[in-house]
């Protein structure tokens, strides 16, 4: 299973209504994080679980869901997190 599939599996537990993950690792070739094997990803996620949460709290929820992937598979992650009502 590749990193994007692992991310999708873990984030699915958050009642996701929309999830888009882009691998931007190729744009960072030669970067220290790329040399260590961690990828660069852009994530757009829509979930009712974000209702009433600040941007910081939403990002923490994503980081918590991804768990150890943040230490091994993911070097950088850009997150856009919305509720369904915000779209």
């Amino acid at each position: 299973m590749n990193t994007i599939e692992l991310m999708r599996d873990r984030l699915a537990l958050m009642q996701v209504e929309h999830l888009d993950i882009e691998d931007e690792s190729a744009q960072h070739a030669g970067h220290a994080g790329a040399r260590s094997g961690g990828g660069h990803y852009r994530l757009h996620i829509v979930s009712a679980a974000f209702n009433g949460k600040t941007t910081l709290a939403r990002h923490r929820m994503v980081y918590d869901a991804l768990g150890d992937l943040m230490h091994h598979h993911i070097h950088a992650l850009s997150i856009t997190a919305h509720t369904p009502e915000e779209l």
Side-chain angles (χ1 to χ4, degrees):
M1 192 175 288
N2 67 35
T3 301
I4 290 179
E5 291 168 338
L6 291 169
M7 292 170 72
R8 285 187 183 284
D9 281 353
R10 294 191 183 186
L11 293 169
L13 301 174
M14 295 177 59
Q15 308 162 1
V16 174
E17 293 189 23
H18 174 79
L19 180 63
D20 184 38
I21 304 171
E22 295 178 54
D23 184 347
E24 298 182 337
S25 300
Q27 298 173 17
H28 300 276
H31 181 270
R35 285 192 299 268
S36 68
H40 289 70
Y41 299 91
R42 181 172 303 276
L43 169 70
H44 181 220
I45 184 171
V46 178
S47 172
F50 297 138
N51 284 330
K53 304 283 194 285
T54 65
T55 300
L56 181 59
R58 294 173 186 196
H59 287 210
R60 285 183 178 153
M61 290 171 68
V62 169
Y63 293 137
D64 288 346
L66 295 175
D68 65 329
L69 294 179
M70 293 302 303
H71 302 289
H72 304 289
H73 297 274
I74 301 169
H75 171 70
L77 181 62
S78 173
I79 302 170
T80 304
H82 294 289
T83 66
E85 294 78 21
E86 294 172 332
L87 296 180

